[in-house]
Amino acid sequence: MAWIAGYADGLTYRAGDTVHVRTSTDAPRVRVDLVRVISGDVNPDGPGAEVRPVASVPVQEVDGREQPVHPGSYAVVPPSPALAALRSFTVTAWIWPTALGRTAVQGLVSTAAPEGTGGAGGFALAIADRRLTLVAGDARLTLPEVLHERQWAFVAATYDARTGQATLSLDSPEWPAQRAEVTGTLAVSPTAGPLVFAALGVEDGHGVGCYDGKIEAPALLPRVCDADERARLADGVRGGGFVGAWAFEEDMSGTRIVDRSGHGLHGELFQMPTRAMTGHGWDSSSDVHAAPHQYGAIHFHSDDIEDAGWDLTASIRLPDDLPSGVYAARCAAGDDVDHVVFFVAPDTRVGAAPAAGRPAHPEVAILFPTVSYMAYANDRMLDNPKLEAPGWLSLPIQRDRGDQILLAHPEYGSSIYETHSDGSGISYSSWKRPVLNMRPDHRNWQTHAPRALSCDLYIVHWLETEGVAHDTLTDHLLHDEGVELLRNYRVVITGTHPEYWTTPMRDALEQWLGEGGRLMYLGGNGFYWVTSVHPTRPHVVEVRRGIGGTRTWESRAGELRHSTTLEMGGLWRYRGKDPNRLVGNGFAAQGFDVPSPGYAVVDGARASRAGWILDGVKDVFGEHGLILDGAAGDEIDRVDPRWGSPPHVVVLATSKGRHSEFMQLVSEDIPVTHPNVRGDLSDDIRADLCFMETGNGGAVFSVGSMNWCGSLYHQKYDNDVARVSRNVLQRFLDPAPFPDDPTAPAAAAAEAGTGEVAGG
């Protein structure tokens, strides 16, 4: 049976743009057309899959072919006269290897031929069989002592072109200390090629013999340095006479490596190795801002992947009058179909004409959490053996189509929930590769139901059924355009899992809410991880896991700051910006109750100033749904003043006391280990449905659960979850202020005079 996988060059477009689609397939022909995506769930109890072909865009049929992906990061300094003139030389670097068990030779610094053997000239300082090796042609000089993983070592190689004598040495100050040297005879012939770091060479546009580990302060001199001069180089003493001396702490947020020798031999990084990493001299007393010279290491990985680099399959020009929405390039090969999803946003910029089908003054927008989609891109957590342990999951693991393709193609990369092959955490994710869990028909391996994009399409189908005109926005667009983008709308609806937020996104949302915007947060575990977008490669997002929060790996000491922005990573909670402060509730627990419970209306809620939200709703509701059979499940949020929930938040309904042992308290809420962290034992494990005003007529409605939208469609939207959602949307569209708003100036003054507590 044929298979196909693809990606587009972007995630967010506007009408009139051109979408470039790239695919790989084992089928001889590929058929590509443009479709608008309304719903993707194939569950017969759900709304059904609905994609609408865009008739005005012609179908394309092209030849299909398999296109490889070559992971592995490296750096290249282009050819130069100084490199071509090199005869005698000394090359030095600090290294911190992390995968010495690999049998393949790993390049550290190389001028060798593309084949990586040095056969056509040049040299390669490399690691082979755990040992430092100098390769020249078919000859090698190797230190007999083995290197140690995750131990800093200063390595050097010298070559005297007159005598052919070469020297290899290493000096490691870490315990157990190492010092070794070997001398031999080689023949290194000149080469006109580039200088390559972290690989043996570059072949057909990709690195070969890629290295796993850190490299810091590499230097190249056009002469033989004796032991005393090499020792001074190790101590950071830099005189003159370099061919190149690279300072990786320079331009840490970019992809350029800077040569400080004065010769301008700057280079470029490929496939996104991890920057802003601690070097051999890091002393734990300062961070990257105070002591950037202590962060001069780059961590390269043999499985880094930023850009698959595939050739073009088809280009789709979006019609000038194309309505805003979720779209896909539907790529068919034999019996297999891959929907390469992207988003078409309205052109709300000054002077732009309204697109067809878009109101002149739109009031509602869905904010699709594309940054979170990238964080989870190609999630492979199902391959974690811990998940098979008894009591870990309440459901067996199931693989969908995308999971099967990823199993066959590990080179497509993983999400930031996984680790590299050397055990270090994955900090970067990119859309310039097939992202096979961002598909309309995706079914999650743990819930056996839609998740992320495929779940967010429930919101699209609901609004379409309700006849509510709406625009499509994305996190990336919000990151770029800020609060001006949101000011076009009275109501913004989040996706079901807006977990990853950048500083510009959060600042824009907070400002918009304060100006009177109204937010429907229809998900759980939102606004949780500090995230950043690469300043020059916007297809790349970055996360540092920090040392707290619900996480699958942990940043090493000193490496919590993002390379892309140099801001502190980790949870927004530890930056003093808990999600509770923004939307009333925040991450409380996660797990997979089957069935997941519904909500119970809390005492006094109907009589509160937000009681209108419960009009027509039973005392217990949401005990149904397309995800785990209930509205309060997967990842849930609670109102908690300890973490910043404002005092005027109104809790309307809760799932407290309704969860099983499979729902577990978040780790950041467990300062001391204890057994009462299960849903059937802890009152902190609950989803709270809440409402609060934000000033100037603004408000937030939060459902506290990722499952909420999976319960909308029950009985074709004739249910209490849909009724609550409809009540809120209709009232939020009404421009009238909220009565008894405690954030309004008059109400606040009265409250201060009476001492009454707002909240109902």
Side-chain angles (χ1 to χ4, degrees):
M1 181 176 177
W3 66 271
I4 186 168
Y7 64 95
D9 285 358
L11 275 186
T12 310
Y13 297 88
R14 285 183 162 113
D17 290 344
T18 298
V19 181
H20 299 295
V21 181
R22 304 170 192 275
T23 64
S24 179
T25 180
D26 60 354
R29 298 287 289 174
V30 175
R31 182 180 186 274
V32 181
D33 67 337
L34 178 65
V35 296
R36 184 170 183 177
V37 181
I38 305 299
S39 177
D41 187 11
V42 297
N43 187 331
D45 295 328
E50 183 179 352
V51 295
R52 302 171 183 172
V54 179
S56 60
V57 176
V59 177
Q60 302 179 56
E61 290 205 22
V62 298
D63 289 338
R65 65 186 181 95
E66 290 196 53
Q67 302 203 62
V69 174
H70 298 286
S73 57
Y74 57 97
V76 175
V77 176
S80 71
L83 291 173
L86 200 64
R87 298 298 183 268
S88 298
F89 64 84
T90 297
V91 59
T92 65
W94 282 95
I95 66 169
W96 193 76
T98 55
L100 292 174
R102 288 175 49 203
T103 57
V105 178
Q106 304 177 49
L108 297 170
V109 185
S110 175
T111 64
E115 293 76 19
T117 63
F123 69 88
L125 180 62
I127 297 173
D129 191 25
R130 300 177 180 269
R131 293 168 173 83
L132 189 67
T133 299
L134 183 63
V135 180
D138 295 327
R140 296 186 180 186
L141 177 65
T142 300
L143 274 174
E145 290 83 2
V146 297
L147 293 162
H148 296 304
E149 280 191 2
R150 291 171 168 78
Q151 296 284 307
W152 281 107
F154 184 77
V155 298
T158 70
Y159 176 71
D160 189 332
R162 295 172 301 171
T163 65
Q165 182 171 315
T167 300
L168 269 181
S169 63
L170 77 83
D171 189 351
S172 175
E174 297 197 61
W175 187 90
Q178 281 184 288
R179 181 167 292 172
E181 184 175 306
V182 66
T183 300
T185 302
L186 294 174
V188 180
S189 56
T191 178
L195 180 70
V196 179
F197 296 118
L200 289 172
V202 178
E203 182 176 335
D204 296 330
H206 62 87
V208 294
C210 291
Y211 164 69
D212 282 290
K214 295 181 184 180
I215 299 178
E216 181 185 14
L220 183 61
L221 299 95
R223 63 181 185 275
V224 175
C225 298
D226 61 21
D228 289 341
E229 188 172 4
R230 295 198 303 268
R232 289 195 296 273
L233 290 170
D235 290 338
V237 178
R238 295 285 177 96
F242 288 91
V243 174
W246 291 270
F248 290 167
E249 66 269 25
E250 297 281 346
D251 195 18
M252 273 186 278
S253 296
T255 58
R256 190 178 67 139
I257 57 171
V258 176
D259 171 27
R260 279 185 175 170
S261 72
H263 294 151
L265 297 188
H266 310 304
E268 187 74 14
L269 294 166
F270 294 88
Q271 300 292 29
M272 288 300 296
T274 311
R275 303 199 72 170
M277 304 299 276
T278 54
H280 77 281
W282 182 69
D283 63 10
S284 78
S285 65
S286 300
D287 73 2
V288 68
H289 289 291
H293 62 281
Q294 296 186 17
Y295 291 80
I298 296 176
H299 195 150
F300 297 87
H301 305 91
S302 60
D303 58 355
D304 277 327
I305 175 68
E306 174 210 345
D307 190 343
W310 287 350
D311 292 336
L312 186 68
T313 298
S315 294
I316 302 171
R317 187 186 183 282
L318 303 178
D320 293 334
D321 61 351
L322 189 69
S324 174
V326 184
Y327 289 85
R330 182 168 57 181
C331 304
D335 296 329
D336 196 28
V337 176
D338 192 26
H339 289 86
V340 178
V341 172
F342 54 88
F343 305 87
V344 177
D347 197 342
T348 56
R349 294 168 293 188
V350 175
R358 176 175 175 266
H361 301 287
E363 294 188 302
V364 179
I366 305 174
L367 180 62
F368 284 89
T370 51
V371 168
S372 294
Y373 296 161
M374 287 302 98
Y376 281 91
N378 292 347
D379 151 32
R380 300 174 190 260
M381 286 183 282
L382 75 171
D383 292 318
N384 186 332
K386 292 180 181 178
L387 295 177
E388 301 288 0
W392 187 277
L393 291 177
S394 55
L395 292 169
I397 291 172
Q398 292 186 358
R399 295 181 189 269
D400 77 346
R401 169 190 174 274
D403 294 326
Q404 297 289 352
I405 293 177
L406 289 176
L407 189 65
H409 292 277
E411 70 275 14
Y412 289 177
S414 303
S415 75
I416 60 171
Y417 282 83
E418 280 76 57
T419 57
H420 289 287
S421 58
D422 70 352
S424 60
I426 296 176
S427 292
Y428 305 121
S429 180
S430 168
W431 72 60
K432 287 197 171 184
R433 56 182 176 134
V435 178
L436 291 157
N437 55 350
M438 198 180 79
R439 297 297 188 253
D441 57 350
H442 168 64
R443 298 184 73 79
N444 181 256
W445 53 268
Q446 56 194 340
T447 64
H448 308 171
R451 205 169 195 251
L453 169 72
S454 54
C455 187
D456 294 341
L457 291 172
Y458 287 141
I459 303 172
V460 176
H461 191 274
W462 172 61
L463 292 180
E464 289 282 323
T465 303
E466 294 285 319
V468 176
H470 60 279
D471 279 345
T472 293
L473 309 179
T474 64
D475 283 354
H476 286 82
L477 197 62
L478 178 59
H479 176 86
D480 290 340
E481 298 189 8
V483 70
E484 290 296 334
L485 178 71
L486 299 180
R487 284 174 177 154
N488 292 284
Y489 305 97
R490 187 183 308 282
V491 182
V492 170
I493 303 172
T494 73
T496 56
H497 196 189
E499 182 177 0
Y500 291 84
W501 276 66
T502 70
T503 296
M505 288 165 55
R506 199 185 186 287
D507 289 349
L509 182 61
E510 189 170 28
Q511 183 175 347
W512 176 74
L513 288 171
E515 293 175 357
R518 297 172 178 182
L519 182 73
M520 295 179 66
Y521 167 32
L522 299 189
N525 183 214
F527 317 95
Y528 187 66
W529 286 105
V530 177
T531 314
S532 56
V533 175
H534 197 284
T536 62
R537 299 188 179 186
H539 52 280
V540 174
V541 302
E542 180 181 12
V543 171
R544 298 289 173 108
R545 287 296 179 194
I547 54 174
T550 302
R551 61 205 183 279
T552 52
W553 56 269
E554 196 168 277
S555 300
R556 288 179 54 84
E559 296 177 349
L560 276 67
R561 287 198 177 270
H562 291 207
S563 67
T564 48
T565 58
L566 301 186
E567 66 184 310
M568 184 62 72
L571 298 187
W572 277 112
R573 172 185 288 191
Y574 301 133
R575 294 267 297 270
K577 295 187 176 183
D578 310 71
N580 306 65
R581 300 179 190 275
L582 187 67
V583 294
N585 56 18
F587 194 24
Q590 67 181 101
F592 309 102
D593 297 310
V594 183
S596 290
Y599 295 75
V601 174
V602 302
D603 292 343
R606 296 185 189 275
S608 74
R609 66 181 192 280
W612 51 269
I613 293 174
L614 300 172
D615 287 351
V617 176
K618 298 188 292 290
D619 286 343
V620 175
F621 62 92
E623 295 182 315
H624 55 76
L626 299 170
I627 306 173
L628 301 174
D629 300 325
D634 197 337
E635 297 182 8
I636 59 175
D637 299 353
R638 73 173 182 270
V639 171
D640 196 328
R642 293 174 298 176
W643 305 119
S645 297
H648 66 284
V649 172
V650 179
V651 177
L652 297 155
T654 184
S655 66
K656 184 174 70 173
R658 307 174 70 83
H659 292 279
S660 75
E661 71 273 19
F662 286 103
M663 184 64 74
Q664 298 277 313
L665 194 65
V666 292
S667 61
E668 60 269 26
D669 285 351
I670 312 174
V672 177
T673 55
H674 61 88
N676 298 330
V677 296
R678 306 179 350 179
D680 55 342
L681 298 175
S682 173
D683 284 347
D684 278 344
I685 296 177
R686 64 182 190 270
D688 286 338
L689 191 82
C690 68
F691 167 86
M692 70 178 188
E693 299 88 350
T694 58
N696 293 308
V700 176
F701 167 71
S702 298
V703 302
S705 169
M706 285 175 56
N707 282 12
W708 179 269
C709 292
S711 298
L712 282 171
Y713 183 74
H714 183 65
Q715 297 180 161
K716 297 184 178 180
Y717 299 117
D718 183 16
N719 66 80
D720 285 344
V721 168
R723 192 164 293 112
V724 166
S725 304
R726 189 180 300 115
N727 289 346
V728 173
L729 179 58
Q730 290 174 350
R731 179 61 183 87
F732 274 23
L733 285 171
D734 181 349
F738 297 99
D740 305 318
D741 177 0
T743 67
E751 183 180 313
T754 62
E756 294 179 359
V757 178

